[in-house]
Amino acid sequence: HVLDTLTACVQKGVATEIERANEEIAFQATIREDMADHWENYTCADDTLNTTEAKRTETWRGRTVSVMIDRPASKIHTVENFLTEDECKAVEEAAKPTLHDATVADGSGGSHKSDARKAKQAGITVHWDKEADGDLIARLSRRVYDYVNHVLPFNIMEDGQEDLMSIQYFGRGPEEDQPDRYMPHCDGDCNGMLFKPGNRMATIVMYCEI
């Protein structure tokens, strides 16, 4: 009887602490998302704002790289002329047949539509067997892996990785209440916890038109 009473007491205490921790995680996630919305609107509303200065610049295969953030757990680089005009056209053409409303990851292996990403998207299969023949999409994809492995201490190979994703904005102008756009958002879990093995480690966003 004493053991049962003690077990019930411990269970109640643990359940209360877990509930309190989950509430704090949800609160912090809401703050991060709200901050992202405000920052996006603030920076985009004033095109006279100074651009953040790079911590340093370097070169990679003849391309200028601006290192904006360089921390052990987070790195942001901008690379000029990462892809060519021909590669852009090849990606756009490959995406045309399967364009559909864009989604974001839900943290559980699935995806859902979100106001944070209003655009059209299409997955593009990379034909690695055509890489030796100069296939433009395979060439671009190889460059993506090469740069990620240049920056991170891993040897990430193409096997088992996601295909390229083409995001196309057909916009309706800045005066629209909800124009096509890509807003700051959490692409997966947004709880501030440590990285889960098996999730995304790096993303390269390439712009063909600005």
Side-chain angles (χ1 to χ4, degrees):
H1 178 73
V2 174
L3 184 59
D4 291 340
T5 301
L6 178 61
T7 300
C9 179
V10 170
Q11 287 178 337
K12 182 178 179 180
V14 170
T16 300
E17 288 302 314
I18 291 176
E19 182 179 4
R20 185 179 302 159
N22 286 334
E23 289 176 353
E24 179 63 22
I25 290 172
F27 173 69
Q28 295 291 341
T30 300
I31 289 179
R32 283 191 292 274
E33 291 171 352
D34 288 345
M35 287 175 62
D37 288 344
H38 289 307
W39 274 113
E40 192 267 349
N41 292 330
Y42 172 70
T43 55
C44 291
D46 186 355
D47 56 13
T48 65
L49 286 175
N50 293 328
T51 301
T52 302
E53 293 185 4
K55 290 186 173 296
R56 68 176 187 275
T57 58
E58 52 195 40
T59 58
W60 180 77
R61 295 185 179 177
R63 297 170 172 84
T64 300
V65 178
S66 298
V67 179
M68 312 304 291
I69 294 179
D70 190 13
R71 301 171 182 166
S74 60
K75 303 177 186 295
I76 297 178
H77 294 188
T78 61
V79 185
E80 296 182 14
N81 301 314
F82 188 84
L83 69 173
T84 68
E85 184 176 346
D86 287 343
E87 289 167 347
C88 280
K89 290 179 180 178
V91 169
E92 185 176 346
E93 287 300 316
K96 276 184 179 180
T98 55
L99 279 176
H100 59 278
D101 289 339
T103 59
V104 298
D106 61 11
S108 302
S111 61
H112 62 91
K113 292 182 181 179
S114 168
D115 287 338
R117 176 184 281 180
K118 296 182 68 64
K120 297 293 184 180
Q121 73 178 33
I124 300 174
T125 300
V126 181
H127 297 287
W128 292 108
D129 57 316
K130 298 181 180 180
E131 182 179 10
D133 299 326
D135 182 82
L136 293 174
I137 292 176
R139 183 178 73 184
L140 171 61
S141 300
R142 179 62 63 199
R143 192 179 307 128
V144 167
Y145 285 100
D146 287 349
Y147 190 74
V148 169
N149 288 326
H150 165 71
V151 174
L152 300 179
F154 307 116
N155 184 28
I156 302 173
M157 305 299 290
E158 65 271 17
D159 297 327
Q161 305 297 329
E162 296 178 83
D163 289 330
L164 285 181
M165 181 69 69
S166 174
I167 307 293
Q168 298 185 24
Y169 303 89
F170 297 93
R172 293 174 299 277
E175 302 305 320
E176 286 290 330
D177 291 336
Q178 292 185 326
D180 284 6
R181 57 183 176 175
Y182 184 97
M183 295 178 64
H185 64 277
C186 294
D187 209 354
D189 288 337
C190 192
N191 53 23
M193 305 298 285
L194 293 176
F195 175 77
K196 294 180 180 178
N199 287 343
R200 291 175 179 167
M201 293 183 294
T203 298
I204 290 186
V205 180
M206 298 170 283
Y207 291 92
C208 289
E209 297 181 21
I210 299 179

